[in-house]
Amino acid sequence: MPTPEPDPLLTLPDVAAILRVGVGTVKRWTYSGTLPTLKVGRLRRVSRRQLDEWLDRLEREGSVPPAWPHSGDRAALAAVRKAAR
């Protein structure tokens, strides 16, 4: 019986690239607790399995994290951009 492969740990830039969002957005999600992370020393990592489960939960609930404002809401989009600076 083959040994199962370990769950890869992703860096925050890796997660940002997968989700096609900015690294600042991913950092806001991790620091607010919206996106679960593991702390490895001083660094934060996201398990690929946890990322997939998080995305599945968002899809089931039909919700998106606050850092994804409705594209038609210019005030919310401006607030997110300002907060990212």
Side-chain angles (χ1 to χ4, degrees):
M1 176 179 247
T3 307
E5 298 214 10
D7 188 23
L9 296 178
L10 306 170
T11 64
L12 300 187
D14 291 340
V15 174
I18 290 168
L19 300 177
R20 297 183 184 190
V21 298
V23 176
T25 298
V26 175
K27 285 180 181 181
R28 280 191 301 277
W29 290 336
T30 61
Y31 296 140
S32 70
T34 304
L35 176 62
T37 60
L38 302 168
K39 201 159 186 195
V40 180
R42 296 180 335 170
L43 306 173
R44 293 193 177 266
R45 297 287 186 253
V46 178
S47 144
R48 182 60 199 226
R49 181 184 50 78
Q50 283 185 317
L51 178 62
D52 291 339
E53 289 172 359
W54 182 70
L55 291 171
D56 289 342
R57 182 175 49 84
L58 292 176
E59 188 175 8
R60 277 193 317 271
E61 294 173 359
S63 64
V64 293
W68 284 343
H70 184 272
S71 60
D73 188 353
R74 292 183 184 266
L77 185 57
V80 168
R81 287 184 177 157
K82 185 175 180 181
R85 293 183 192 158

